[in-house]
Amino acid sequence: MANKHILVVAAHPDDEVLGCGGAIAKHTQQGDIVHVLILAEGATSRTPQRDRKKLQHELSALAEVAHQASEILGVTSLTLHDFPDNRMDSCDLLDIIKVIEQEIVQYQPEIIYTHHIGDVNIDHCRIHQAVVTATRPMPGSTVKTLLFFEIASSTEWQTPGSARAFVPNWFVDISETLSLKREALAAYESEMHPWPHARSVEALEHLAHWRGASVGVEAAEAFILGRQVN
């Protein structure tokens, strides 16, 4: 069986690991080719005004860490863009779609992982919309499976009734790759928080074990299936 091409489309550096780091490592261990596209820069939303020049050192360090995490997980290629952090609702949706379409044309992925629509983070919602549009099932499309992941400290923070709830119906057993996900999260030390914050290494481990217990395995990542073409 030929190796599969996988594309992960994430908003910020660390989302790719939070959402599907274990699945990425599992794919690469199976010989699949994984490409990661990160669209927003990260960090600049933490100051009153977006100032890339002032935060250039922090942005460079974050990009370096993203490459380290990709290496840990066995990713073939990582592409970083500079859409404004937590301000992607200020960008034309078509501009986001075009970037994603270019990646799809270049890498011809069979499986795409991306964000759930119901997160509190506006960038996650915007990217979800863009991916759904970019993967519309046109004749000849290589994309056969579209999966939406959860992001701890964003997905579960949404209040009931404010947006579509994350109710997973697709699980990936990451019992053998949870340690690699943990290692990649540790590389993102600047983005993580101490327990009991939802975006702590301990919380992510608990979530993986809970998602695993939900389907009878040691550890898992949970997704919503957007589309499957057999």
Side-chain angles (χ1 to χ4, degrees):
M1 183 179 293
N3 296 339
K4 295 178 180 178
H5 286 253
I6 316 297
L7 176 62
V8 178
V9 184
H12 315 101
D14 81 350
D15 284 340
E16 79 285 11
V17 182
L18 292 169
C20 59
I24 290 173
K26 186 169 185 174
H27 278 297
T28 60
Q29 287 185 356
Q30 293 172 345
D32 295 335
I33 299 168
V34 179
H35 305 280
V36 173
L37 169 64
I38 298 176
L39 289 164
E41 59 206 356
T44 59
S45 65
R46 298 169 189 169
T47 55
Q49 300 293 327
R50 184 190 183 208
D51 189 341
R52 284 184 55 84
K53 185 176 181 180
K54 183 178 180 180
L55 294 172
Q56 189 57 53
H57 176 75
E58 186 174 350
L59 291 171
S60 297
L62 192 55
E64 183 177 343
V65 169
H67 283 283
Q68 292 174 4
S70 288
E71 185 174 345
I72 290 167
L73 298 177
V75 170
T76 296
S77 74
L78 169 66
T79 304
L80 296 163
H81 282 266
D82 58 357
F83 283 95
D85 180 36
N86 276 280
R87 294 183 174 94
M88 288 188 69
D89 54 331
S90 67
C91 304
D92 288 339
L93 183 61
L94 182 60
D95 291 339
I96 307 169
I97 293 167
K98 291 296 185 184
V99 172
I100 297 167
E101 286 179 334
Q102 289 173 2
E103 295 281 312
I104 293 172
V105 169
Q106 182 175 358
Y107 297 120
Q108 301 286 292
E110 299 171 52
I111 302 172
I112 291 184
Y113 293 90
T114 196
H115 291 278
H116 171 57
I117 186 65
D119 290 11
V120 296
N121 190 293
I122 190 62
D123 294 351
H124 299 181
C125 302
R126 198 70 166 159
I127 288 171
H128 173 98
Q129 293 173 315
V131 170
V132 169
T133 303
T135 59
R136 54 201 183 278
M138 302 288 285
S141 173
T142 62
V143 180
K144 304 303 180 186
T145 306
L146 181 59
L147 294 165
F148 308 133
F149 51 65
E150 60 184 329
I151 297 294
S153 77
S154 180
T155 307
E156 83 285 358
W157 282 358
Q158 185 60 273
T159 55
S162 296
R164 188 173 302 169
F166 183 82
V167 183
N169 58 0
W170 186 288
F171 295 81
V172 175
D173 183 350
I174 63 165
S175 302
E176 301 300 321
T177 58
L178 178 57
S179 59
L180 288 171
K181 177 169 181 166
R182 188 189 305 115
E183 186 179 347
L185 288 171
Y188 276 116
E189 183 180 4
S190 65
E191 304 305 299
M192 303 300 290
H193 293 266
W195 172 261
H197 194 284
R199 198 174 353 127
S200 62
V201 172
E202 294 89 344
L204 268 296
E205 288 182 332
H206 289 317
L207 178 61
H209 290 307
W210 171 245
R211 292 305 190 191
S214 300
V215 292
V217 299
E218 180 69 22
E221 288 172 335
F223 305 90
I224 293 177
L225 176 63
R227 182 182 298 119
Q228 174 75 46
V229 181
N230 291 320

